[in-house]
Amino acid sequence: METISDSQAIQNPRPNVTPVKIALKWGLIAGAVMILLSLISYYAGMMQNAAIQWLSYILLALGIFFGVRHHRDKELGGYISFGRGLGTGVLISLFAGILLSAFILLFYGVIDPGALEELKRLQEEGMYEKGMSDEQIDMSLKFVNPGFMAMVTLPMMTFFGFIISLVIAAILKRNKPLFIEERE
């Protein structure tokens, strides 16, 4: 009777493994951490801080990186194609975007509608500083509502996740060798 050694198990991934489960896990983790960052920035009075916005993209990139790497190393036997890595990363960002969109609807629509008024006030100040007319400001502020913000967040997160995933998939790509030596 033959047994499979650990090195053979690593080289032979489980058949029919899809990235959905791991993408859901890492997407929810990335989304939850981004929500936590959002809450901290809101209660610290730094909602319009550009560094906080960049930090949220870094958190998304980390979620994509760890998710794709986990999928490659634990589920695919240490190998992943560029396309599979890209698809996994986009799925992770999609799930993070869904969670963030739901958070936006809940937070600004139900939990703290006053936060939406504060956001409008900050954006209005910024638009006045840029020299926008009252009509332009009024038109822009019509789009500051939980529904529109949630609707924009999902495609935006998925798009930025796609861009980030292009880089991460290229870094983590590891093609399976054509011929693997058999060990006895």
Side-chain angles (χ1 to χ4, degrees):
M1 185 167 152
E2 225 175 279
T3 60
I4 298 177
S5 69
D6 287 337
S7 65
Q8 286 176 326
I10 289 173
Q11 293 174 354
N12 298 320
R14 293 179 284 177
N16 300 325
V17 173
T18 67
V20 174
K21 187 175 179 182
I22 199 68
L24 179 62
K25 173 187 171 184
W26 284 99
L28 293 178
I29 290 170
V33 174
M34 291 166 70
I35 287 170
L36 184 62
L37 176 66
S38 174
L39 289 171
I40 290 169
S41 69
Y42 170 69
Y43 288 112
M46 302 184 321
M47 281 177 35
Q48 298 292 87
N49 189 327
I52 298 292
Q53 292 172 350
W54 279 104
L55 184 57
S56 68
Y57 291 119
I58 290 169
L59 292 172
L60 177 62
L62 287 171
I64 292 170
F65 176 82
F66 288 120
V68 171
R69 189 179 72 174
H70 183 273
H71 185 51
R72 178 194 72 187
D73 294 344
K74 303 293 185 201
E75 296 177 337
L76 297 176
Y79 303 104
I80 193 166
S81 67
F82 176 81
R84 182 74 172 244
L86 177 63
T88 303
V90 170
L91 275 175
I92 290 169
S93 63
L94 175 70
F95 290 132
I98 290 170
L99 184 62
L100 284 171
S101 294
F103 167 74
I104 287 169
L105 285 172
L106 273 171
F107 184 73
Y108 290 113
V110 178
I111 296 171
D112 192 357
L116 184 64
E117 295 307 315
E118 176 66 13
L119 180 63
K120 281 183 179 181
R121 187 188 65 75
L122 290 171
Q123 288 186 346
E124 185 175 14
E125 286 176 6
M127 288 185 246
Y128 273 122
E129 289 174 8
K130 290 180 182 177
M132 293 175 73
S133 69
D134 288 339
E135 294 88 25
Q136 291 173 319
I137 292 172
D138 289 340
M139 180 61 84
S140 297
L141 291 178
K142 287 181 182 178
F143 295 106
V144 181
N145 63 63
F148 185 78
M149 290 167 52
M151 186 177 73
V152 168
T153 297
L154 183 58
M156 186 179 74
M157 289 295 298
T158 306
F159 173 75
F160 283 114
F162 173 76
I163 301 300
I164 293 167
S165 296
L166 283 170
V167 175
I168 291 175
I171 292 169
L172 293 178
K173 178 186 83 147
R174 191 179 301 155
N175 291 328
K176 197 172 195 173
L178 291 175
F179 302 102
I180 300 174
E181 285 186 29
E182 295 291 326
R183 295 185 184 188
E184 293 183 33

